[in-house]
Amino acid sequence: MNINYFLYLVFFISFISGFLSNSESAVLENYIEIPNSTEIRSINNARHGSIYASYSSFVPDGVLSIYNSTNHTLIHSIELGGLPIGLAFNEDHNHFYVTNRDQKLISLINANTFEIEKNITLDKSPSSIIFNPANNLLYVANFGTRTLTVINSMDDSVIDTIHVGDNPTDLALNPSNTLIYVANFLNNSLSVINCTDNSVIDTIKVGKNPADLAFNPVNNLLYVANQGNNAISVINSTTNTVIGEIQVGQSPRDLFFNPKNNLLYTANFDDKTISIINSTNNSVIKTISLDGAPSQLGFDPENNLIFVGSYVDSGILFINSTNNSKLARLIIMESRALAINPANNLVYVANFANATVSVINTTANSVIDTIKVGKSPTDLAFNTGSNLLYVANQDSNTVSLINTTANSVIDTIKVGKNPADLAFNTGSNLLYVANQD
């Protein structure tokens, strides 16, 4: 990640009363802020208590961040570079895949260690990606082409190329018949692929510029967000015919179906709204106004939250899809790293700009202490055996040693030039420091 770009995390410290207007079943619940001039490219549904979000700035600078879906704190960030676009999970192998459009590759990442185990190099620019557990194949939409790439996830080899419409932008799998639907943005159509032999068996005309797809397994309907004519096409996936159209806000970019309440959520980018659709009768029942332009949607099933990736205000916000809840007052901290002390459940935040570490009580979401450290703290590491926290101070060429019982600096260790990353080995009781220069 380019060093000039900070990760901002917004914590809620006090709640205020009040509800969003014209919203009986959905209001803003929480908020995570990321760098300015940044666009969230993908948000994946919460898995094992984590939210996965990829984003990039206007200069190539791609990051995948993993957040705790309960308290919305940052767990880990992976610096990918380029333009990360799509996310897909292989639950059996406990891996996830991230497409990188600018670098023409797919990163295979271990979901336990968050380490990049392999980069799969392609000759095209991958965007959307979907995993079919029935045949262990990955289907990848190639930006600016008329093709999909098919990858065998057992050995990560490219085994097929499927020709579809112009500029495929999104993919959806119907698990009941293992058909894959491809949104062809410039053809105003969907290609239907039989996963048995990877052949195109049908083409469905839809609205202008189909950008995203969502499948409702309850009624076997497929929903298509048509960005160019502000409408959602409704498709009977048994007959592959369009049976209706729903008018929504301007420029719908993303869809998400919530199986818990049978509602469909639409991110309308240009008018900064979320449309909520009752999928029983396919009617809009609510519209939520936002400060920023929503670009991506996801779902946390444990907490029944819809999370929204926003572009203009560069953040992730949360919608409580169960009932009304209070709005929150928030503070912003410029942060390069976060660490959670498992002994006391306190969160420590390295504030790069003001040479401090903030201590946060996660029960009350309040800052309870601020510790002065060296210049430009950029990474944190815990020694759980001795309850000590190590802080890499990039511009001081030091590591601060903090006693987390008293939250005070007890030692400062001189290291190499520009220390940027820390790792503590519990087996050998050694701390490893990566110096940039």
Side-chain angles (χ1 to χ4, degrees), residues 105-121:
L105 56 81
I106 299 171
S107 296
L108 172 63
I109 299 174
N110 187 308
N112 289 330
T113 63
F114 303 124
E115 294 179 352
I116 300 174
E117 295 190 349
K118 181 188 292 187
N119 283 321
I120 305 169
T121 304

Side-chain angles (χ1 to χ4, degrees), residues 175-195:
S176 65
N177 56 17
T178 64
L179 296 182
I180 285 181
Y181 294 82
V182 184
N184 304 311
F185 189 80
L186 296 180
N187 279 135
N188 306 329
S189 69
L190 303 186
S191 298
V192 186
I193 297 173
N194 184 338
C195 291

Side-chain angles (χ1 to χ4, degrees), residues 192-208:
V192 186
I193 297 173
N194 184 338
C195 291
T196 304
D197 57 5
N198 292 328
S199 63
V200 177
I201 61 172
D202 206 349
T203 301
I204 307 169
K205 294 298 291 183
V206 291
K208 187 177 180 180

Side-chain angles (χ1 to χ4, degrees), residues 47-65:
R47 278 172 166 79
H48 312 300
S50 299
I51 299 166
Y52 296 77
S54 68
Y55 53 89
S56 59
S57 59
F58 287 117
V59 294
D61 186 26
V63 173
L64 176 72
S65 290

Side-chain angles (χ1 to χ4, degrees), residues 274-349:
I274 302 290
S275 298
I276 303 176
I277 298 169
N278 183 335
S279 66
T280 303
N281 56 16
N282 292 325
S283 63
V284 177
I285 59 172
K286 291 287 180 299
T287 300
I288 300 175
S289 296
L290 307 175
D291 292 330
S295 57
Q296 294 289 328
L297 300 172
F299 182 55
D300 175 5
E302 292 183 6
N303 300 300
N304 209 27
L305 296 178
I306 300 293
F307 34 91
V308 183
S310 182
Y311 169 52
V312 173
D313 63 350
S314 301
I316 301 172
L317 55 85
F318 295 78
I319 296 174
N320 185 331
S321 62
T322 304
N323 52 40
N324 289 329
S325 53
K326 297 177 181 179
L327 296 179
R329 186 181 305 143
L330 44 90
I331 59 171
I332 300 174
M333 292 173 295
E334 297 182 2
S335 150
R336 278 293 176 88
L338 294 96
I340 299 176
N341 186 347
N344 55 17
N345 209 32
L346 296 181
V347 173
Y348 293 80
V349 183

